[in-house]
Amino acid sequence: MQQFKILLFCFLMVPIGFTAQETDYSKDVKDYLEHNGTMKQYEYAYGQLMQMMESRYPKSEGNLKSWTFLEEHEVKAMEDIKNMLVPIYKEHFSHEDIKQMAAFYETETGVLLTTDRSKMTTVHKEELNSFYNTIVGQKIINKREALTKQISMASENWSRELYGISMGLFNNG
């Protein structure tokens, strides 16, 4: 029980040091992750965790504190995964690259790419191809395999931590 409390404290407090020193680069990566649809995927994953936990541990008076924690923890969990992804992007892309990538996802084509590809017209598809033919677009293509591997590892670690904390809340709470 004591180890769990120490682990929970570390999980909750360590990221404070990261966010207190947020740079423009970090902020721009985080904005990019919002615009390119990445964070929607993590929000969905958090929702799936909540559903799984509710099927195992239906809400009751006895576990109300655990449920309150999980419900209030989502914003922090999203910030945690962003903090895990920033160094991955920093390894592969310059600040200017990130700005160009974010700018693309703010265009109509970028928005449709993340929301409803079926609505993309021939013009949108041409704009997408033009973007991928830029230096930044080619960098994305060339780094896709390494990025996918690193992001997958970060995602697995994030999911494992969330699951462990969730189980600890209900089994030790």
Side-chain angles (χ1 to χ4, degrees), residues 57-76:
Y57 305 99
K59 292 179 183 177
S60 69
E61 282 296 316
N63 63 22
L64 187 59
K65 286 183 182 179
S66 297
W67 275 109
T68 300
F69 175 86
L70 284 180
E71 290 164 353
E72 293 174 353
H73 186 70
E74 183 174 4
V75 171
K76 186 193 174 313

Side-chain angles (χ1 to χ4, degrees), residues 48-62:
Q48 291 297 299
L49 171 69
M50 295 291 281
Q51 286 181 6
M52 181 190 69
M53 297 307 291
E54 191 161 13
S55 69
R56 283 188 177 180
Y57 305 99
K59 292 179 183 177
S60 69
E61 282 296 316

Side-chain angles (χ1 to χ4, degrees), residues 106-118:
E106 291 175 5
T107 67
E108 184 178 348
T109 299
V111 170
L112 287 174
L113 188 62
T114 61
T115 57
D116 189 353
R117 292 180 186 208
S118 69

Side-chain angles (χ1 to χ4, degrees), residues 8-94:
L8 185 61
F9 176 79
C10 290
F11 181 76
L12 294 174
M13 298 309 290
V14 169
I16 289 173
F18 294 119
T19 56
Q21 301 174 12
E22 185 168 72
T23 63
D24 288 343
Y25 183 90
S26 296
K27 183 186 177 317
D28 288 345
V29 170
K30 291 174 182 184
D31 289 345
Y32 168 69
L33 295 171
E34 292 289 345
H35 286 100
N36 77 358
T38 297
M39 294 315 299
K40 283 184 175 61
Q41 295 172 352
Y42 289 105
E43 289 164 6
Y44 177 79
Y46 197 89
Q48 291 297 299
L49 171 69
M50 295 291 281
Q51 286 181 6
M52 181 190 69
M53 297 307 291
E54 191 161 13
S55 69
R56 283 188 177 180
Y57 305 99
K59 292 179 183 177
S60 69
E61 282 296 316
N63 63 22
L64 187 59
K65 286 183 182 179
S66 297
W67 275 109
T68 300
F69 175 86
L70 284 180
E71 290 164 353
E72 293 174 353
H73 186 70
E74 183 174 4
V75 171
K76 186 193 174 313
M78 294 307 116
E79 191 63 27
D80 289 346
I81 188 61
K82 286 180 194 176
N83 287 332
M84 293 170 83
L85 296 177
V86 167
I88 295 169
Y89 280 89
K90 191 168 191 164
E91 180 181 333
H92 296 283
F93 300 104
S94 71

Side-chain angles (χ1 to χ4, degrees), residues 114-153:
T114 61
T115 57
D116 189 353
R117 292 180 186 208
S118 69
K119 292 183 179 177
M120 290 180 73
T121 65
T122 303
V123 172
H124 293 123
K125 291 174 186 174
E126 289 171 3
E127 288 175 2
L128 177 61
N129 286 333
S130 292
F131 174 72
Y132 279 118
N133 285 324
T134 65
I135 292 171
V136 173
Q138 287 297 300
K139 195 182 256 191
I140 293 168
I141 291 168
N142 293 333
K143 296 187 175 272
R144 185 171 284 152
E145 187 176 326
L147 274 172
T148 300
K149 184 176 181 179
Q150 289 176 297
I151 290 169
S152 292
M153 287 176 61

